[in-house]
Amino acid sequence: MTVTPDETRNVSSQYRAMRDTVDRMRDTLPGKFEITKEGIVHDMMSPGGPHEVTAAHISRRLEKAMPDELLAHTGTPDVEHEPGGILRHPDVIVIAWADLNVEPSIDPRTLVAAIEVVSRSNPENDWVGKTRDYALLGIPVYAIFDPRSGTGAVLTDIHATPDGPRYATRKDFVYGEDVTIAQWTISTADLPRYQ
């Protein structure tokens, strides 16, 4: 579901109104709420099963490869860029411990990478919306794992286009292959698939 913002209102006040709405809905409705350039995105199904197991495997595998000052984090808080009107919640973020110790949300410019496990109920959000938004936010590496097909992609090299920043390089992979996220290579073997 997407709620389109009123084009005539100030972006900052419009964003603040959407942010307040998201905060209220999180306490009463299931699922995940995010804010994009198009408005509020509601993934109505809370992630579970293969989605959560995949995120946990990716986090653990990355942390075994990364230096101790970095973390492959699967929890809260959100990644937010209020001036740009974007609030996202990646499934896994690669970030320095010091940059995680902030409130209420994380500055996207501190992320080394954002990783998404494609939602069964709203795959376009991960493949299209977040691909656009993470480039806009300046997140240098965006990795997508898709349990529907057992495939994924790593997007890098943000460059300017007439439509705004976009990832220039896409490296596709199939579950079972090794994949490099930023500078760390992990296995994708034995990741679960949606039934």
Side-chain angles (χ1 to χ4, degrees), residues 77-144:
D78 294 314
V79 174
E80 181 175 31
H81 186 252
E82 187 169 340
I86 298 173
L87 174 82
R88 288 298 198 166
H89 186 88
D91 293 317
V92 180
I93 58 172
V94 177
I95 190 169
W97 282 93
D99 292 328
L100 182 63
N101 191 19
V102 297
E103 290 185 27
S105 55
I106 295 171
D107 181 342
R109 295 168 296 185
T110 64
L111 297 187
V112 175
I115 300 151
E116 294 291 353
V117 179
V118 173
S119 165
R120 187 190 322 242
S121 63
N122 191 6
E124 296 80 20
N125 187 36
D126 298 308
W127 280 109
V128 178
K130 290 182 181 181
T131 298
R132 176 200 61 235
D133 288 352
Y134 290 165
L136 285 169
L137 294 172
I139 299 171
V141 178
Y142 174 36
I144 307 165

Side-chain angles (χ1 to χ4, degrees), residues 55-74 92-95 97 115 179 181 183-187 189-190:
H57 276 299
I58 295 165
S59 172
R60 181 167 285 183
R61 292 171 189 184
L62 277 169
E63 286 191 347
K64 287 180 180 179
M66 296 184 317
D68 289 340
E69 62 268 9
L70 294 176
L71 171 70
H73 185 59
T74 58
V92 180
I93 58 172
V94 177
I95 190 169
W97 282 93
I115 300 151
V179 62
I181 299 171
Q183 53 191 314
W184 306 284
T185 300
I186 62 169
S187 170
D190 304 319

